[in-house]
Amino acid sequence: MRRPRPGFRPMAAVVTAAALALPLTGCTTVHTTAPAAVRAQTASGAEAAGRFGTVDCREAKCIALTFDAGPSEHSAQLLDILKEKKVPATFFLLGKRHIEKYPELVRRMAAEGHEVASHTWDHKILTQIGPDEIRAELRRPNDAIEKLTGRRPTLMRPPQGRTDDTVQKICREMGLSEVLWSVTAKDYKTYDPKVIKERVLKQSSRDGIILLHDLYPGTVPAVPGIIDALKERGYVFVTVPQLLAPGKPKPGTVYRP
């Protein structure tokens, strides 16, 4: 298992119905766009289609399940669970020690209809490195994923949610959208599946983006209970692109509910 990252902290923000500004310490104010705003800006009549079926999040009570920092030794079990429960997820994958170690799992994620995206090559904080290094952190996992799946990622999640004008500009150049989150179980701090489940359920709401890490041992055992409880509450699970549909992710834009 990859070493824990004790410095990992989710970015605090105030949620609004459309776009909001997130002040980051030492960074430029970051403006984010909510999924509902993307859908509202798109002409009516289009449909959100995916290999898990057609879901219209303008009508359905949608929520996106996302996993960071894999693949890992736990990812095969997670994929088995998602397949059994017919739930799509979005995977933000790390390159070094992950994509390069578990290429067959990357292929399986794509083959089973999940969205495969980037979490950088080596989890470097993008706001603390230069433009050339940012480009390398983003290009290397995309190259590896495209080689394995035949499809180049269009989404990325910046480590610790840290982004700024420079990161956004480079993402725009590289055809990437940034995806943050609204729900975190802080599963890097607890390996108790019950606690992880309770935290997710407490924070979940319509159009939510759930952040979990399939590399920690308590997370995957919590997933079946999370899925079952949210389905009982009327939620429909979708990938991040499905959450935005009929709109599409726009390179250089930062998305957060």
Side-chain angles (χ1 to χ4, degrees):
M1 183 177 71
R2 190 174 188 270
R3 63 186 183 280
R5 301 190 300 277
F8 187 96
R9 294 291 185 274
M11 183 170 57
V14 178
V15 179
T16 69
L20 65 162
L22 303 179
L24 301 181
T25 303
C27 301
T28 305
T29 297
V30 175
H31 296 277
T32 73
T33 301
V38 181
R39 298 194 300 265
Q41 293 167 1
T42 306
S44 61
E47 293 181 343
R51 276 180 282 179
F52 281 84
T54 299
V55 179
D56 189 341
C57 293
R58 296 168 297 183
E59 303 294 336
K61 186 178 175 182
C62 293
I63 197 162
L65 190 57
T66 73
F67 296 90
D68 282 11
S72 76
E73 61 190 290
H74 308 294
S75 298
Q77 181 187 0
L78 173 59
L79 289 169
D80 289 343
I81 292 168
L82 297 175
K83 185 175 183 180
E84 177 187 353
K85 295 186 176 294
K86 296 181 173 60
V87 166
T90 302
F91 289 91
F92 293 94
L93 305 182
L94 279 174
K96 191 175 182 180
R97 297 183 295 274
H98 295 272
I99 293 173
E100 63 182 6
K101 186 176 181 180
Y102 300 101
E104 72 285 353
L105 290 176
V106 179
R107 293 189 190 97
R108 182 180 170 188
M109 289 169 182
E112 294 184 359
H114 303 290
E115 186 72 18
V116 181
S118 166
H119 194 42
T120 73
W121 184 256
D122 198 25
H123 205 267
K124 292 179 180 177
I125 307 305
L126 300 180
T127 55
Q128 298 176 2
I129 60 179
D132 289 343
E133 198 169 1
I134 293 172
R135 290 184 178 91
E137 278 290 297
L138 298 177
R139 183 183 63 253
R140 292 183 70 187
N142 283 2
D143 288 347
I145 291 169
E146 184 176 27
K147 183 177 180 180
L148 291 169
T149 69
R151 182 176 181 272
R152 195 166 188 83
T154 58
L155 305 178
M156 63 83 71
R157 177 168 284 157
Q160 298 184 7
R162 297 288 171 178
T163 186
D164 60 15
D165 289 345
T166 300
V167 175
Q168 290 166 58
K169 180 181 178 182
I170 292 171
C171 283
R172 189 177 303 113
E173 293 171 357
M174 299 181 71
L176 291 167
S177 304
E178 299 180 67
V179 180
L180 303 183
W181 60 89
S182 59
V183 180
T184 174
K186 296 185 178 180
D187 51 355
Y188 47 87
K189 286 189 172 183
T190 177
Y191 295 161
D192 186 337
K194 182 179 179 181
V195 172
I196 293 169
K197 174 186 172 182
E198 289 174 350
R199 288 176 177 175
V200 170
L201 297 182
K202 184 176 181 180
Q203 298 172 57
S204 292
S205 59
R206 184 173 183 174
D207 284 351
I209 298 177
I210 301 169
L211 166 63
L212 293 170
H213 300 80
D214 50 325
L215 78 166
Y216 298 122
T219 302
V220 172
V223 169
I226 290 170
I227 291 173
D228 291 345
L230 289 176
K231 282 185 175 180
E232 287 176 4
R233 296 181 184 183
Y235 286 97
V236 178
F237 287 92
V238 294
T239 63
V240 170
Q242 287 174 321
L243 190 64
L244 302 179
K248 294 182 179 181
K250 183 179 179 180
T253 300
V254 182
Y255 295 99
R256 186 187 193 278

